[in-house]
Amino acid sequence: MGLRLRPVDTSFYDLFTQSAQHLVGGAELLAEMLADNSDKASVAERMRAAEHAADETTHEIVKKVNSTFVTPFDREDIYALGSGLDDVMDMMDEAVDLILLYEVQVLPPELSEQVEVLRRCAELTAAAMPRLQSMQSLDDYWIEINRLENAGDRNHRRTLAKLFSGEYKTIEVLKLKDIVESLEGAIDAFEKVANTVEQIAVKEG
């Protein structure tokens, strides 16, 4: 295999890092949305702004890969990583929006556990993105994300079991289930990001 020289241009890595930082902010807003007596309309408005900013970063990634002759790694992997990061933000934004639209006042405490999983995933992802340039010490990242995703799956099942236990009215079950599924979707999207990073590291490492 011939030696592959990576471009010195660090802007792709900077953009991925910026995209992941948006997720850290989104997870914080999600946690705020679940807090007692939070101003849900204000949180939702700030989340919409955060999601828009994340979209702008994703557009910058796409624009750059389309205008760059030599990319740091395969174009399809750049698209997949940028899209995956954007998917996480979309799912978190959806969860916040549903809480506001459904006017849910009391949320099961298990949801806070899911948000903690999301916050940890966001922090790990933000820390991992700058390391893409050297491809060093990334295996710990996808291993831990996988562990967190498994923990999220277990909590997801427990939450669904509680929703259908008879403790909640039918209309509340329907509302809460949508929110629960959005949180689960965000955690799953983080795992897809980690899987993409692993694929890139295997190819480029």
Side-chain angles (χ1 to χ4, degrees):
M1 180 181 295
L3 178 65
R4 179 175 179 181
L5 297 176
R6 293 195 182 93
V8 176
D9 182 8
T10 63
S11 55
F12 276 107
Y13 308 109
D14 295 339
L15 286 168
F16 286 131
T17 300
Q18 182 178 321
S19 186
Q21 287 293 345
H22 289 311
L23 303 184
V24 174
E28 292 294 335
L29 286 168
L30 190 50
E32 185 179 345
M33 193 70 169
L34 267 63
D36 293 337
N37 302 317
S38 64
D39 184 343
K40 291 181 170 48
S42 171
V43 176
E45 183 177 355
R46 283 180 280 140
M47 179 61 104
R48 282 193 291 273
E51 194 273 336
H52 178 72
D55 278 345
E56 289 297 313
T57 302
T58 303
H59 294 155
E60 282 298 312
I61 292 170
V62 172
K63 184 167 71 174
K64 184 158 188 66
V65 76
N66 287 338
S67 62
T68 301
F69 181 67
V70 181
T71 57
F73 42 87
D74 289 346
R75 293 173 189 273
E76 58 266 31
D77 290 329
I78 293 175
Y79 286 126
L81 184 54
S83 175
L85 291 165
D86 191 59
D87 287 345
V88 176
M89 194 67 176
D90 286 345
M91 295 305 298
M92 290 195 292
D93 177 53
E94 178 178 287
V96 166
D97 200 36
L98 288 173
I99 292 170
L100 179 69
L101 292 175
Y102 286 170
E103 300 181 342
V104 178
Q105 299 302 319
V106 180
L107 293 160
E110 289 82 2
L111 296 194
S112 293
E113 295 179 33
Q114 290 294 70
V115 172
E116 281 305 309
V117 170
L118 284 169
R119 289 173 75 169
R120 183 61 182 146
C121 286
E123 290 166 358
L124 288 168
T125 302
M129 290 301 105
R131 301 204 301 273
L132 281 172
Q133 188 168 6
S134 64
M135 296 292 170
Q136 298 298 313
S137 305
L138 284 166
D139 52 339
D140 288 348
Y141 162 65
W142 61 70
I143 289 170
E144 180 62 9
I145 291 291
N146 182 258
R147 187 194 68 79
L148 288 166
E149 195 273 336
N150 288 335
D153 277 348
R154 290 191 294 272
N155 192 52
H156 178 66
R157 291 191 291 269
R158 288 196 301 270
T159 305
L160 289 179
K162 183 170 183 177
L163 288 184
F164 291 104
S165 67
E167 180 179 340
Y168 297 91
K169 295 179 180 178
T170 301
I171 188 63
E172 291 301 313
V173 170
L174 295 174
K175 292 178 179 180
L176 291 170
K177 187 174 183 296
D178 281 350
I179 297 165
V180 168
E181 295 299 339
S182 294
L183 296 177
E184 172 72 1
I187 295 172
D188 286 345
F190 265 121
E191 186 182 36
K192 289 179 182 177
V193 167
N195 289 342
T196 301
V197 170
E198 182 178 9
Q199 290 168 13
I200 293 168
V202 168
K203 290 180 184 178
E204 306 294 329

